[in-house]
Amino acid sequence: MTGDRVDVSVVVPTYDEAANIAELLRRVDAAVGGPATEVVVVDDSRDDTAAVARAQAPSLRSRLVVIHRAEPEGGLSGAVVAGLRAARGRQCAVLDGDLQHPPEVLPALLDALEGADVAVASRYTAGGAAEGLSGWLRHGVSRTTTLVTKAMFPTRLHTCSDPMTGFFALDLDRVDLDELRPKGFKILLEVLVRRRRRIREVPFAFGARTGGSSKASLRQGLWFLWQLVDLRFGRMSGFALIGALGAVANVAIVSALVALGMSFLPAAVIAAEATIVGNFLLQERFVFADLVASADPTWRRFLRSALFNNTESAIRIAIAWWLVAHGVLHSAIATAVTLAVAFVARFVFHALVVYRPREGGAVPAARERARV
């Protein structure tokens, strides 16, 4: 393990992290540093992060490579891919430059690569924690986006509790960098869903930021949504289309029955039951067909779907009835608005619960299909 040989590379994407980079490099070197380790800093900063990083080189046991991108492409994901392309080690770990990813977890993360393609440092597995997220809103956004993402890729992410983390390690011999199309800031999601990976998880506590400022923004959120649409447009759009058809049918049935003299409440109940059955049949055929073979029997899927949808409908109808009874909205508008709000909850429940793989069940080859 001497000379030019590199066994482990640690990629650190940075953006205005001058306040943190020296401490981060010191802790990375203490955790995994040595003559066969390199640290690749890919810097997109407007401050002097790159200069501060280079100044640490004499004090490190590891080889330090600093790449400053004057014209960054692909955002944070692009920086990570650039670092992976420059890395010389077969085992490669990635962590952010803000010290919220503790470098002391790196040895366990690299050990977890034995027998796996990707090792994921998870906030949401047993022993993990996400206290470093600032405020209830960030916690809520993180949990919600994780659930929605897992719902969109229920097979590929079945064994991953935290696909949104930026702290992971991979075996570069088992990942084709050319198939990645980095954009936004969730490169691990890109790696995991392009093809099936053997995943192992290591718990970690997401720390509080001690210097610099968070890079989370509305723009990053929009990039994330675009990434999701790009990676899994097919399933989500199919569910949305069937949901839209069901919503139109629901509104039409309610309007027709009210016009015929029926009061709103029974009309809404009849419309809901009709669309629940119709939506389930269409989803089975066109949206979740590739998940059916490894899921529970049809009657159990229908029972779960019907129970959830009826519970959701009862709550939704009660809200819509109140809006109509108090003159807040017209019956058709109240129905349409509450149906739109229920869409995300229905999709998450069906993908993660109704069609979840049976324990120990085989995953059919059809589920290997790529993005639509």
Side-chain angles (χ1 to χ4, degrees), residues 231-317:
L231 289 170
R232 177 56 92 182
F233 188 74
R235 194 186 304 280
M236 189 70 163
S237 64
F239 191 89
L241 178 59
I242 290 173
L245 292 174
V248 171
N250 194 305
V251 172
I253 294 171
V254 169
S255 299
L257 293 177
V258 170
L260 291 173
M262 183 178 292
S263 62
F264 173 76
L265 192 57
V269 171
I270 293 172
E273 294 302 319
T275 54
I276 282 173
V277 176
N279 283 2
F280 176 79
L281 295 176
L282 291 173
Q283 289 160 7
E284 285 267 299
R285 175 66 179 83
F286 297 108
V287 179
F288 298 108
D290 61 325
L291 304 182
V292 166
S294 62
D296 284 332
T298 303
W299 69 270
R300 288 186 179 177
R301 297 197 300 273
F302 177 76
L303 183 60
R304 287 177 181 149
S305 176
L307 286 174
F308 178 84
N309 287 339
N310 275 288
T311 301
E312 173 269 322
S313 294
I315 297 172
R316 176 175 54 80
I317 290 171

Side-chain angles (χ1 to χ4, degrees), residues 6 8-10 25-40 56-65 88:
V6 174
V8 174
S9 298
V10 180
L25 291 175
R26 184 191 66 77
R27 289 171 59 182
V28 168
D29 197 61
V32 295
T37 299
E38 69 175 0
V39 182
V40 181
Q56 311 309 309
S59 64
L60 303 178
R61 297 176 297 165
S62 308
R63 177 174 182 261
L64 177 65
V65 179
R88 295 191 298 157

